[in-house]
Amino acid sequence: MITDILRIFDELYPFDGKCFLNYETPWQLLFATILSAQCTDDCVNAVTAELFIKFPTLSAFADADISEIEKAVFQTGFYRNKARHLQGSAQKLLFEHNGEVPSDISQLTALPGVGRKTANVVRGHIFKIPSIVVDTHVKRVSNRLGITRHTDPVKIEHELMEILPEIHWIPYNQQAITHGRKICTARSPRCNECALSFQCFSIDDNAKT
């Protein structure tokens, strides 16, 4: 089952290592991922294009008036919390990590607004550490394909780490997300176009027609 799924994913979505979020430095990817909670990558990329010009360094975030950060990230939603998380993370990175983004997951998740998903995005793209990123698409696709029955993201992450070959952890993130956006959408999935419909555990008779 897993072998077939991964083979088809590799055929449909050849892994290119490209991140869906735009960034130039490790801390920019960290901040972009914090902003991506409950927000599309396209929206985040549009916001960070100006955000990282207005606040070009960690010090700029750390010393800014919080209201200015709130205005800059307003479009991403939950802007007050996100602004506090960005400023708090900037301060913690400067004072506890000499301005460097750590690779250790416990140190990453100790930063304001950083959960395992955000930490694993950074670990995978910046440090090339094999990591599973459980976002809404990975969760949905993995559930529908019967790879996992868990709903808790942490449990899904650990189960996928047990089931998937480690070499496929990072590619699977990108491939499942792409599949979830293009075909296996939350509403009205395009099941008749899905190369993995034979493996789908949630497809119903109506979807097959």
Side-chain angles (χ1 to χ4, degrees):
M1 178 186 78
I2 294 298
T3 301
D4 289 338
I5 291 172
L6 297 181
R7 174 181 56 77
I8 291 172
F9 268 170
D10 285 342
E11 293 172 357
L12 292 175
Y13 316 112
F15 179 63
D16 59 11
K18 191 177 187 316
C19 185
F20 296 116
L21 297 170
N22 298 332
Y23 68 96
E24 294 182 357
T25 66
W27 69 262
Q28 286 183 352
L29 176 59
L30 175 70
F31 283 21
T33 310
I34 291 173
L35 293 175
S36 71
Q38 305 298 313
C39 184
T40 66
D41 292 343
D42 286 343
C43 178
V44 172
N45 287 335
V47 167
T48 56
E50 298 181 9
L51 179 70
F52 295 148
I53 292 175
K54 184 169 185 177
F55 303 101
T57 64
L58 287 173
S59 295
F61 274 99
D63 298 335
D65 185 318
I66 193 67
S67 65
E68 291 302 309
I69 303 178
E70 290 177 354
K71 292 177 186 176
V73 303
F74 178 81
Q75 288 181 306
T76 67
F78 304 98
Y79 64 97
R80 289 194 176 91
N81 283 339
K82 290 180 179 179
R84 288 199 301 272
H85 292 157
L86 296 186
Q87 186 166 68
S89 289
Q91 293 169 345
K92 196 158 187 173
L93 288 172
L94 287 168
F95 298 132
E96 297 184 14
H97 301 285
N98 298 314
E100 299 292 330
V101 174
S103 62
D104 180 76
I105 194 164
S106 62
Q107 292 180 324
L108 282 167
T109 54
L111 297 171
V114 178
R116 290 187 67 88
K117 184 191 83 169
T118 297
N120 282 329
V121 169
V122 171
R123 281 160 58 84
H125 284 285
I126 299 300
F127 300 104
K128 310 305 179 186
I129 298 172
S131 307
I132 295 290
V133 177
V134 182
D135 75 343
T136 183
H137 300 293
V138 171
K139 176 182 176 180
R140 180 174 65 256
V141 170
S142 299
N143 280 157
R144 287 179 176 174
L145 292 178
I147 299 175
T148 179
R149 287 303 185 189
H150 290 300
T151 57
D152 178 74
V154 176
K155 291 182 179 179
I156 293 173
E157 177 191 340
H158 288 297
E159 185 164 16
L160 291 179
M161 289 170 66
E162 292 178 5
I163 295 172
L164 301 176
E166 186 175 301
I167 195 173
H168 242 101
W169 290 359
I170 294 177
Y172 181 82
N173 298 329
Q174 185 187 73
Q175 292 165 340
I177 290 171
T178 303
H179 191 66
R181 288 174 174 172
K182 290 185 174 182
I183 303 294
C184 194
T185 55
R187 297 181 180 179
S188 302
R190 297 160 63 183
C191 303
N192 60 327
E193 300 177 34
C194 182
L196 289 163
S197 59
F198 69 92
Q199 180 59 48
C200 186
F201 279 68
S202 65
I203 193 169
D204 57 29
D205 292 336
N206 291 329
K208 290 180 181 179
T209 58

